[in-house]
Amino acid sequence: MKRISTPRRSASLSAQLVDSLRAHIEAGGWPVGTRIPPEQTLVEELGVGRSTLREAIGALTHLGLLEARVGDGTYVRSSSELQSVMVRRASCGRRDEILELRTVLEEYASGAAALRRSDDQLHQLRELLTDADAACAGEDASAATNVDALFHRAVVRASGNDLLIEVYDYLGTALASALGGLPWDATAAEAHAGLHRRLVDAIEARDQSGARDAAAAIVRLNREHEAAASREAEGR
């Protein structure tokens, strides 16, 4: 088990403890969903007073990293305050807002990926296209959704922009949750797959404009699919 870094003795011990605990969580020392050690255990391990520890735990709870459950202890809710804030905000946004956000992030990332991608990253994108084809052929909607999410994350990672990668990773779950779940007919599914192949071809050719256009077209298709599904539901 990873040990938490003991804070340095200074006038700002509580603030240092917040930083130390945050770093421990981000490094996976306490995985998301797990209960943190009891207060007495942490007091003894860290060599700090109960009031200092409680103040730090309270700050991390306020930031959204921890969650106190009455009668059950304190659990890790998120690995980053940025993740906590952004996922919470995205999860209560309208679908059209989420699609617009996805357009902004993926269009820029796709253009950057065309300029900065490595050969290994390009190979990974090709493999994910193959996986997506297999999932669609097997008519496994859940697998297809998961592969699609992995594909778009791989495109963003190929952008080489660390902050963009971090933001997209934190929003990935909310995006997949909000945009998934709608069935695709064979024609729409083939159009969707074709646009993904076009995107990878543009990234391979280092065609920045072509990559951005393909990424935007993918989101437009999602919008059209969403509108068609809504009309069909209203007509029932």
Side-chain angles (χ1 to χ4, degrees):
M1 176 179 175
K2 295 182 179 179
R3 292 188 58 81
I4 307 167
S5 300
T6 302
R8 300 186 307 276
R9 299 291 177 179
S10 73
S12 176
L13 185 60
S14 177
Q16 289 185 55
L17 183 56
V18 169
D19 290 340
S20 180
L21 293 175
R22 180 196 290 123
H24 187 68
I25 293 170
E26 289 180 349
W30 291 338
V32 174
T34 61
R35 184 170 56 187
I36 71 173
E39 182 180 274
Q40 182 58 39
T41 301
L42 291 174
V43 165
E44 294 174 357
E45 179 180 345
L46 299 171
V48 298
R50 290 181 182 275
S51 61
T52 299
L53 177 63
R54 288 173 181 173
E55 185 176 347
I57 295 296
L60 292 173
T61 300
H62 180 72
L63 288 172
L65 274 70
L66 298 178
E67 176 185 12
R69 301 180 186 175
V70 178
D72 193 25
T74 300
Y75 285 75
V76 180
R77 180 180 181 184
S78 171
S79 62
S80 162
E81 62 264 38
L82 178 60
Q83 179 185 34
S84 177
V85 171
M86 294 181 68
V87 169
R88 185 167 61 246
R89 179 62 185 88
S91 66
C92 46
R94 299 195 310 269
R95 290 178 73 93
D96 60 333
E97 291 179 330
I98 295 173
L99 281 165
E100 286 182 6
L101 177 59
R102 180 177 176 178
T103 301
V104 170
L105 295 178
E106 294 186 2
E107 185 177 340
Y108 178 84
S110 296
L115 298 179
R116 300 170 185 163
R117 58 85 180 163
S118 67
D119 290 342
D120 286 344
Q121 287 168 332
L122 179 62
H123 179 68
Q124 181 188 23
L125 289 173
R126 291 290 183 194
E127 286 187 330
L128 287 169
L129 285 181
T130 301
D131 292 344
D133 288 341
C136 289
E139 298 184 351
D140 186 338
S142 177
T145 298
N146 290 337
V147 173
D148 187 68
L150 289 172
F151 174 84
H152 288 288
R153 280 193 174 107
V155 171
V156 174
R157 289 183 180 280
S159 74
N161 184 318
D162 289 340
L163 183 57
L164 177 60
I165 293 167
E166 184 178 8
V167 168
Y168 193 85
D169 277 349
Y170 291 158
L171 285 174
T173 300
L175 287 171
S177 175
L179 301 177
L182 294 175
W184 292 77
D185 59 37
T187 301
E190 179 53 37
H192 192 252
L195 287 173
H196 282 73
R197 290 191 291 269
R198 180 176 136 197
L199 172 57
V200 176
D201 288 343
I203 291 174
E204 180 175 19
R206 300 196 184 278
D207 178 1
Q208 182 181 24
S209 177
R212 292 183 66 131
D213 287 346
I218 290 170
V219 180
R220 282 198 301 273
L221 183 61
N222 275 288
R223 284 178 178 274
E224 293 167 2
H225 177 54
E226 165 89 5
S230 296
R231 288 193 298 271
E232 182 180 347
E234 290 172 358
R236 291 174 183 170

